[in-house]
Amino acid sequence: MSQLRRVRSSWRPAMVVWLSAVPLWGMAQGAESPLPATPVVQVIEPVEAASATSRRRLPPLVWRLEVEAPKPLDALLTQHLELARFERELADNNTLRISRNELRRLVISAPDEARRLLEAEGYFAAQITTRVEDEVEGKPVVVTIKVVPGELTRISKVQVIYEGALDLALSQDDARAQSLTEGILQNWALPVGEVFRQSVWSSAKNAALARLRSQGYPTASWSGTSVTVDATEGKAKLFLVADSGPAFVFGDIRVEGLSRQPASAVLNLAPFKAGDSYEEKLVLDWQERIQKLNLFENVFVATEFDPTQADATPVVVQLDELPLQAATVGVGVSSDTGPRVSGEHLHRNLWGLAWQAKTALQIGKRESRGQVDLTSHPWEGRVRGQVSGQALRQLDSDDTETTSQRVRVGRLHEGEVHERTYYLEYQHARVSTADDLVVSDASALSGTVQWIWRQVDNQVLPTKGFTSLTEVTLGQTYSALNETGMFVRAYGRVTGYKPLPSDWHLTARAELGQVMAGDSVSVPDTLLFRVGGDESVRGYAYRSLGVTRDGVTIGGRAMATGSVELAHPILKRMPSLLGAVFVDVGDAAQSMGDLEAKVGYGVGLRWRSPVGMLRLDLARGADSGQVRMHFSVGISL
């Protein structure tokens, strides 16, 4: 191993002493420089004392660097060694010439640099040698750094000691404190047996400290941390001392910035009360839920971590209210329902009753609707009241017309990852042909329980996780055509998202529905099932698959669909633009036994827009042989 050290003489300021195994330029070509038992000292006299010959400037050297090391250490050294960086800079300037003194300096420092880089990756017993070839006219001087990394150093012991309030809580067998410390060790990134790496060591300490600060000890800090490495045995022992500081507890909540909205809209959403232990996640979740109320433009929830007020930490909510009323108009087009124009009005505190009112009107070629939705500001327990009414007219692909009206009253319970809604509903639906032949006409009074779960990495553009919706309805029908009676309706839909290797993305969906009632009992068509269209079985027209009666399609009592889709970015520089291939299958019929698998398949384009996934699909229905264009935006539960 060549060990080169540069030191200053204490008695002659201009003198440089080089400590090396052999003179840098005096080696035989290709010879290595192992560390000798007695180093050779070469003294270079100052310029003032040098002869005229020695003062003659030698031309710069042409050189190149070679790193001999196992992968991926070769790339690590080539990327970070100062020698390699200098070589890249010279190459960028279209030259590889360097002065001998500068090259000597770089070669001298290279082993220590390499050792630091290797130790950061867990190699504490590496053997590093340098070799500099003799100058040969017309050829570059080759500088070689050879590395034999040796065995990796692994963790043999991890010891964490706590001071402060957390230590006191642990001594009292506090369950929350024990869970916290156990969680830190379970999630510790450098457990026994793991390779010691400096970057992981730093991130592990940061992660542990962040966990302490987020779960009741926001002023926690490291009193000391150390690593003891036995390079001979290839073992490392970690020792850490954490000072938790005081345990913080939530105190009073102060809401600022309100003028048109009641404070209860914010306070009723709080996931904690005064006296609860501080948790950062609760604060962040609360801030997100306030933002989703659509009442405030900006929301900021802050806590003041004053150790003298740790037993009652005040919480401040700063708000900027949105305008009390808002109106929008729009035009749009859908492959399912054709062109449309729409208008919407929103009142964020109707008559000062702490209810939001949304009124919407849409007029389209194939679908028109009017709707009023009243939603209360949050009540205690994260509960909200809901009242809505809707009138709808749909013209299907076979020119049948469906008209329906409904009124709904219910309560929404918002949880951490799911929502639960209970509602009573009255609805009426009528299906008729172009020559005014009534095919179905029925009304129903029903009660429904609906559950929605969302476990996704991003609610607007999910790539990992799942969403699901489940509904169970019990009702009584009233019909102008057939018998009345009780019915039960069950419906479920789940969509999964999974990232795959090589930047592929998988989306899979399954959907199932069943209405149970007497054979002669009429059920409103809006409670039955039809499939086909953008979010169903592509390659078939919207709501075109169902039960045929009197030559027209109506809803069936059973339904099942499924879909598998693979997507991949078209260009690496545009990851938000993807190409996709998909297969859909499904059907709706009078009973599960009557279902026939209708298959649609095709290709499409995807764009991850700020408002959701924009889809453009070209699909072929295997049964019909028709090719259809589908386009939509957003995600569907």
Side-chain angles (χ1 to χ4, degrees):
M1 182 188 299
S2 173
Q3 290 199 354
L4 308 172
R5 292 186 177 85
R6 174 176 171 177
V7 298
R8 290 284 184 186
S9 169
S10 61
W11 57 275
R12 196 170 183 182
M15 176 168 289
V16 179
V17 179
W18 294 95
L19 179 62
S20 62
V22 293
L24 184 59
W25 309 119
M27 300 184 214
Q29 176 133 356
E32 292 191 0
S33 56
L35 183 64
T38 305
V40 177
V41 178
Q42 179 184 6
V43 179
I44 303 175
E45 296 295 334
V47 174
E48 309 91 82
S51 65
T53 302
S54 64
R55 287 201 304 266
R56 188 172 55 210
R57 295 180 62 86
L58 295 174
L61 287 170
V62 177
W63 69 293
R64 62 184 173 88
L65 173 66
E66 290 185 357
V67 176
E68 297 179 4
K71 295 181 180 298
L73 299 180
D74 55 346
L76 173 74
L77 297 174
T78 303
Q79 177 68 27
H80 295 288
L81 279 178
E82 189 178 5
L83 261 173
R85 180 188 61 79
F86 208 90
E87 183 184 33
R88 288 194 297 272
E89 290 179 356
L90 291 174
D92 290 342
N93 293 324
N94 297 318
T95 180
L96 284 175
R97 295 181 178 271
I98 189 173
S99 70
R100 288 162 175 77
N101 285 340
E102 185 64 17
L103 183 57
R104 183 183 291 113
R105 181 189 68 81
L106 294 171
V107 171
I108 290 171
S109 62
D112 286 339
E113 285 184 70
R115 192 172 304 282
R116 288 193 295 269
L117 291 169
L118 294 170
E119 288 177 352
E121 294 300 311
Y123 295 94
F124 284 85
Q127 298 179 18
I128 304 167
T129 57
T130 59
R131 184 174 68 244
V132 181
E133 293 185 356
D134 286 343
E135 294 183 52
V136 177
E137 187 175 353
K139 293 184 178 181
V141 172
V142 178
V143 178
T144 304
I145 297 178
K146 183 178 180 181
V147 173
V148 179
E151 294 297 323
L152 282 165
T153 297
R154 297 184 180 274
I155 309 300
S156 62
K157 183 179 181 180
V158 180
Q159 185 176 7
V160 184
I161 294 176
Y162 297 97
E163 299 174 337
L166 180 56
D167 178 48
L168 178 61
L170 290 171
S171 67
Q172 298 172 346
D173 295 328
D174 181 81
R176 187 170 179 272
Q178 290 176 343
S179 175
L180 172 58
T181 55
E182 289 171 2
I184 289 174
L185 284 179
Q186 289 171 1
N187 292 277
W188 180 249
L190 284 173
V192 172
E194 188 67 28
V195 174
F196 176 84
R197 290 185 171 87
Q198 182 64 44
S199 59
V200 182
W201 167 241
S202 299
S203 62
K205 291 188 292 183
N206 292 337
L209 198 59
R211 194 180 186 100
L212 281 172
R213 290 175 175 175
S214 66
Q215 296 190 29
Y217 304 91
T219 61
S221 62
W222 292 116
S223 298
T225 61
S226 67
V227 180
T228 303
V229 175
D230 185 340
T232 304
E233 296 292 330
K235 296 180 179 180
K237 297 180 180 179
L238 310 183
F239 180 73
L240 306 98
V241 181
D243 182 0
S244 70
F248 281 72
V249 173
F250 286 114
D252 294 333
I253 298 173
R254 186 171 74 251
V255 181
E256 300 176 350
L258 293 178
S259 61
R260 296 181 294 269
Q261 303 296 342
S264 59
V266 175
L267 297 176
N268 287 338
L269 279 179
F272 56 82
K273 61 183 181 300
D276 287 350
S277 297
Y278 170 82
E279 286 189 39
E280 183 182 53
K281 184 179 184 298
L282 297 179
V283 175
L284 296 177
D285 287 350
W286 187 28
Q287 179 172 295
E288 183 178 354
R289 288 186 178 277
I290 297 172
Q291 191 73 61
K292 289 180 179 179
L293 288 175
N294 193 28
L295 298 175
F296 309 105
E297 185 173 9
N298 295 306
V299 179
F300 182 65
V301 181
T303 49
E304 301 173 0
F305 298 123
D306 182 351
T308 64
Q309 296 181 303
D311 57 345
T313 302
V315 182
V316 180
V317 184
Q318 298 174 335
L319 305 168
D320 291 328
E321 292 182 336
L322 287 166
L324 190 61
Q325 299 187 60
T328 59
V329 294
V331 295
V333 62
S334 166
S335 56
D336 281 347
T337 59
R340 62 183 182 271
V341 296
S342 61
E344 183 178 291
H345 176 266
L346 174 66
H347 197 297
R348 293 187 169 91
N349 192 358
L350 185 64
W351 301 318
L353 298 176
W355 283 69
Q356 293 188 68
K358 181 192 293 185
T359 304
L361 178 64
Q362 174 184 304
I363 301 175
K365 179 180 179 181
R366 291 194 167 274
E367 182 175 287
S368 299
R369 72 177 66 202
Q371 186 166 332
V372 177
D373 292 305
L374 302 177
T375 305
S376 75
H377 292 5
W379 299 335
E380 289 186 10
R382 296 186 186 179
V383 177
R384 306 179 73 174
Q386 294 181 325
V387 178
S388 68
Q390 181 191 82
L392 173 69
R393 172 188 173 274
Q394 290 177 303
L395 186 63
D396 294 314
S397 57
D398 56 3
D399 291 331
T400 59
E401 182 183 77
T402 300
T403 58
S404 64
Q405 306 82 36
R406 68 166 174 80
V407 177
R408 180 182 296 176
V409 179
R411 289 164 60 97
L412 167 65
H413 296 253
E414 297 177 308
E416 296 298 329
V417 297
H418 73 277
E419 297 177 0
R420 185 174 71 256
T421 304
Y422 306 92
Y423 60 86
L424 295 174
E425 183 176 61
Y426 171 81
Q427 58 182 301
H428 169 261
R430 181 177 185 270
V431 181
S432 59
T433 64
D435 54 3
D436 208 26
L437 172 66
V438 178
V439 181
S440 173
D441 192 342
S443 302
L445 181 64
S446 62
T448 298
V449 183
Q450 180 189 87
W451 296 269
I452 295 177
W453 284 268
R454 297 184 185 92
Q455 287 273 29
V456 290
D457 55 347
N458 186 303
Q459 296 213 16
V460 178
L461 295 169
T463 61
K464 182 179 181 180
F466 73 93
T467 63
S468 69
L469 181 148
T470 305
E471 290 180 344
V472 177
T473 300
L474 174 65
Q476 169 73 42
T477 68
Y478 306 89
S479 174
L481 295 181
N482 299 313
E483 293 183 10
T484 64
M486 300 289 293
F487 72 93
V488 176
R489 181 182 188 271
Y491 172 79
R493 178 185 177 112
V494 60
T495 304
Y497 307 89
K498 183 175 179 61
L500 300 176
S502 301
D503 213 17
W504 283 91
H505 299 273
L506 171 67
T507 303
R509 186 195 74 239
E511 189 179 29
L512 194 66
Q514 174 75 63
V515 173
M516 291 162 283
D519 292 341
S520 59
V521 173
S522 286
V523 178
D525 193 76
T526 47
L527 289 172
L528 300 176
F529 303 103
R530 302 193 205 185
V531 301
D534 299 341
E535 298 294 337
S536 184
V537 183
R538 286 162 288 189
Y540 299 86
Y542 180 51
R543 289 166 42 91
S544 63
L545 301 178
V547 175
T548 301
R549 179 187 296 177
D550 298 331
V552 300
T553 301
I554 61 172
R557 295 189 177 187
M559 176 272 297
T561 71
S563 175
V564 176
E565 176 175 299
L566 284 171
H568 190 275
I570 297 175
L571 299 171
K572 280 190 175 182
R573 66 176 182 271
M574 297 180 63
S576 60
L577 183 64
L578 303 95
V581 294
F582 59 85
V583 176
D584 297 341
V585 61
D587 192 21
Q590 194 64 15
S591 67
M592 285 291 179
D594 296 332
L595 292 174
E596 298 180 1
K598 305 295 194 303
V599 178
Y601 55 88
V603 297
L605 288 175
R606 304 286 179 267
W607 176 46
R608 296 180 179 277
S609 76
V611 296
M613 184 72 81
L614 178 66
R615 303 176 182 87
L616 178 63
D617 294 321
L618 192 64
R620 181 180 186 273
D623 287 58
S624 65
Q626 293 184 337
V627 176
R628 305 184 68 87
M629 182 84 69
H630 299 271
F631 52 92
S632 60
V633 64
I635 62 172
S636 175
L637 291 177

